[in-house]
């Protein structure tokens, strides 16, 4: 895990499994509550990660595969996740926004000129519902003019096998084929197309969760933890 600069004064980081307190299928830096891990362990992992990143606090979501966007101004006390939302936006420096995942991409956005950052969890359903376009619209409603984005690790379009009917019902940009020739979805390609349509320049962390042992993958492991993409304005 290392923080990198997304834009002027904006940092992002994607965590992995390494360096936390968890055991068994959650070994070891699980950041998601409600996946069967001990809540105390999850909160310790969150505190350690936030300290390593040097942020004053972080906001996590209880994600429900929606296009709901919430504006946040502080870290909730007592480890409460923002309920029933899949995207958050803030204008507060040093407050990190986290999107959790284990195959679903975290999409982190920033508009440094307007002093805004946002994070979205954009899995299959969220991408179909347009959670990333909803987040970009919220950023622009708050004064954002020139947002940039980074799309995090995800199950790749060569691994994410789905039933044929599901692929056929997906938008063209999302349709893919596995490396073994069966129907698949490519969420990152679909999200890229959404960002392109909105005129938002996007970077990519191209890692595939299924193919990367140091990342959690629900598709690969079933019972497992969640890593996070974080975005914050430093200083
Ligand atoms: Zn893959």
């Amino acid at each position: 895990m290392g923080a990198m600069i997304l834009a002027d004064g904006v940092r992002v980081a994607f965590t992995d499994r390494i360096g936390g307190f968890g055991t068994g299928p959650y070994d070891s830096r699980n950041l998601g509550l409600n996946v069967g891990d001990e809540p105390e362990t999850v909160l310790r992992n969150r505190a350690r990660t936030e300290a390593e990143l040097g942020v004053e606090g972080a906001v996590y979501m209880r994600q429900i595969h929606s296009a709901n966007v919430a504006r946040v101004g502080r870290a909730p006390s007592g480890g409460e996740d923002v309920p029933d939302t899949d995207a958050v936006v803030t204008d507060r420096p040093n407050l990190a926004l986290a999107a959790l995942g284990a195959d679903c991409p975290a999409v982190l956005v920033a508009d440094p000129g307007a002093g805004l950052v946002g994070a979205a969890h954009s899995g299959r359903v969220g991408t179909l519902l347009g959670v990333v376009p909803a987040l970009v619209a919220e950023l622009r409603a708050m004064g954002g003019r020139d947002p940039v984005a980074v799309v995090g690790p995800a199950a790749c379009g060569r691994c994410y096998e789905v039933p044929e009917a599901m692929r056929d019902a997906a938008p063209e940009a999302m349709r893919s084929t596995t490396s073994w020739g069966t129907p698949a979805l490519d969420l990152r390609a679909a999200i890229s197309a959404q960002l392109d349509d909105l005129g938002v320049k996007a970077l990519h962390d191209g890692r595939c969760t299924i193919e990367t042992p140091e990342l959690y993958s629900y598709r690969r492991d079933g019972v497992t933890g969640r890593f996070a993409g974080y975005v914050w304005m430093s200083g």
Side-chain angles (χ1 to χ4, degrees):
M1 179 182 77
M4 58 181 194
I5 294 169
L6 173 62
D8 211 18
V10 177
R11 288 172 191 273
V12 295
F14 294 102
T15 65
D16 53 34
R17 302 184 67 133
I18 298 158
F21 298 102
T23 57
Y26 309 104
D27 179 7
S28 66
R29 195 188 287 259
N30 170 37
L31 298 168
L33 295 166
N34 310 314
V35 294
D37 197 0
E38 299 280 347
E40 266 179 32
T41 307
V42 175
L43 297 180
R44 284 180 78 199
N45 283 337
R46 289 180 176 185
R48 170 177 275 189
T49 305
E50 291 159 28
E52 287 174 2
L53 296 176
V55 297
E56 283 169 12
V59 172
Y60 304 82
M61 299 176 276
R62 194 160 71 234
Q63 300 166 175
I64 56 165
H65 300 280
S66 72
N68 299 342
V69 185
R71 294 185 188 187
V72 294
R74 62 182 180 81
S77 53
E80 278 280 292
D81 292 356
V82 180
D84 302 342
T85 191
D86 290 88
V88 280
V89 58
T90 193
D91 60 4
R92 180 153 158 206
N94 289 315
L95 177 64
L97 305 179
L100 299 163
D103 297 331
C104 300
V107 181
L108 309 174
V109 298
D111 195 311
L116 298 168
V117 293
H121 158 252
S122 190
R124 181 181 68 86
V125 174
T127 303
L128 291 172
L129 293 172
V131 65
V132 169
L135 174 60
V136 171
E138 189 71 10
L139 229 75
R140 287 184 165 147
M142 293 171 75
R145 297 251 179 277
D146 196 15
V148 292
V150 58
V151 182
C156 84
R158 306 282 286 162
C159 291
Y160 185 10
E161 185 177 48
V162 296
E164 190 165 10
M166 187 179 281
R167 179 181 65 176
D168 292 349
E172 190 171 357
M174 196 187 278
R175 290 180 215 153
S176 185
T177 304
T178 61
S179 57
W180 55 97
T182 58
L185 296 180
D186 189 334
L187 299 185
R188 285 188 295 213
I191 293 164
S192 289
Q194 291 177 338
L195 290 167
D196 264 2
D197 285 348
L198 295 164
V200 177
K201 203 165 68 174
L203 304 172
H204 289 266
D205 180 316
R207 288 176 295 170
C208 170
T209 48
I210 295 172
E211 297 175 78
T212 308
E214 62 267 26
L215 294 171
Y216 293 110
S217 170
Y218 176 78
R219 280 249 158 184
R220 185 186 62 221
D221 297 330
V223 175
T224 193
R226 299 289 181 272
F227 58 87
Y230 289 91
V231 60
W232 70 101
M233 286 174 282
S234 52

